[in-house]
């Protein structure tokens, strides 16, 4: 009864006959996200694409494309601009990118984080989309038997890429240097995600952030890179002057030294250093020098008192609007008493506390402050697939 519907997201399985009827009645559908439990076969997919030929954004799961005929059906979607294929069950059916390249000229975003590509198909795809591909989620390597790093191929073929997420680091040791140096040559990148990165030579990661390389980078996600070194964070601070968001989590080896050059990030607005247990007494002294920081995330800090004596300098962050210290211990080390007079723009405080009485006085003095004992989440808080599923592959 709503023929003008444009977007359909299935968050559970529905009966096939209902699905068929839905698609028959919604010819203007442009965005379709299908739950992994949904029964999908060639006949149903053919019906969907015939009745909804204007689909631009499509999210499916790998088992829905095991039948190569289903993959061929995708090439009938001439308006397809965004394709997302998420892992539900591992299998070795390659993604036939050549079919999509020839039939979907408007494809500008591709997010496929498990199936491998034939290197020749992948190179063909990149060359054909040289000036149109803007966003991609890819494995670090292509090829089933002979592994080839995707990053040098991206460097050679793609000039328009703005957002890149690389998953499941399985780059051969001999290719690591080339891969990270080539990553630094993707000068047009605005967003880069390399979560759960575990390398043979951690010091090589800094090669991607040499001065003059990723100068346009605005958003960098490196959560759960457990071997991240101080020198790499310093390289990021010196080599990415336009960074607005930096998320580092569970990088146990970094120390306060890693933040010694963070003052170079004059435009940084969001900083996460959750689970970074190596930080100590001078960390906040460096962080307090960030003039535009409005969100600071320090979740799962075992003992906030370990950040003293510089922890008191948190009140120097005049632009701070959100402080997230959920699941962190010894919260009494935080100078909450100074917040009302010093952090005038603070609007969100996420903190794990035992009694609401602990913050009664703060709430009275800051009536516009929202204090939460649990996290609320948005799409930006996670990678594009399920984080738990993604984690076991990469870490």
């Amino acid at each position: 009864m709503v023929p003008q519907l444009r977007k359909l997201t299935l968050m559970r399985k529905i009966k096939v006959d209902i699905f068929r009827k839905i698609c028959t009645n919604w010819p203007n559908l442009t965005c379709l996200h299908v739950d992994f439990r949904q029964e999908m076969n060639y006949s149903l997919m053919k019906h969907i694409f015939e009745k909804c030929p204007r689909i631009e954004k499509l999210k499916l799961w790998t088992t829905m494309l095991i039948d190569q005929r289903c993959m061929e059906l995708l090439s009938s979607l001439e308006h397809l601009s965004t394709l997302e294929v998420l892992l539900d069950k591992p299998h070795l059916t390659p993604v036939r990118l050549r079919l999509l390249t020839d039939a979907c000229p408007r494809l500008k975003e591709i997010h496929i984080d498990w199936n491998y590509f034939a290197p020749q198909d992948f190179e063909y795809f990149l060359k054909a989309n040289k000036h149109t591909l803007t966003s991609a989620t890819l494995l670090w390597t292509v090829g089933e038997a002979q592994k080839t790093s995707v990053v040098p191929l991206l460097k050679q073929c793609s000039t328009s890429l703005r957002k890149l997420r690389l998953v499941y680091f399985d780059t051969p040791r001999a290719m690591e240097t080339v891969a990270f140096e080539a990553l630094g040559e993707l000068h047009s990148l605005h967003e880069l995600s390399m979560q759960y990165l575990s390398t043979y030579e951690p010091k090589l990661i800094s090669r991607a952030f040499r001065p003059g390389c990723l100068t346009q980078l605005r958003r960098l996600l490196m959560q759960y890179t457990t071997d991240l070194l101080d020198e790499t964070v310093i390289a990021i601070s010196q080599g990415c002057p336009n960074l607005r968001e930096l998320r580092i989590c569970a990088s146990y080896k970094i120390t306060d030294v890693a933040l010694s050059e963070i003052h170079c990030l004059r435009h940084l607005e969001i900083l996460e250093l959750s689970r970074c247990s190596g930080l100590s007494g001078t960390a906040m002294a460096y962080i307090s020098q960030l003039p535009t920081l409005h969100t600071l995330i320090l979740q799962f800090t075992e003992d906030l008192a370990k950040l003293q004596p510089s922890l008191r300098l948190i009140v120097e962050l005049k632009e701070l609007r959100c402080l997230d210290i959920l699941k962190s211990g010894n919260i009494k080390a935080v100078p909450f008493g100074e917040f009302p007079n010093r952090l005038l723009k603070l609007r969100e405080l996420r903190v794990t506390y035992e009694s609401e009485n602990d913050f009664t006085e703060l709430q009275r003095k800051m009536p516009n402050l929202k204090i939460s004992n649990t996290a609320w989440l948005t799409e930006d808080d996670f990678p594009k697939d399920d984080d738990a599923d993604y984690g076991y592959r990469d870490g």
Side-chain angles (χ1 to χ4, degrees), residues 116 119 139 141-150 168 170-172 175:
Y116 66 88
L139 274 73
T141 60
V142 292
E144 182 184 9
Q146 188 68 32
K147 298 289 185 181
T148 301
S149 174
V150 304
Y168 188 57
D170 61 346
T171 302
M175 293 184 184

Side-chain angles (χ1 to χ4, degrees), residues 10 12-22 38-39 44:
L10 297 181
R12 55 169 293 171
K13 179 181 177 180
I14 64 172
K15 294 181 179 179
V16 171
D17 57 339
I18 296 177
F19 201 174
R20 284 178 174 270
K21 191 168 185 178
I22 283 174
Q38 181 61 44
E39 179 185 344
L44 177 57

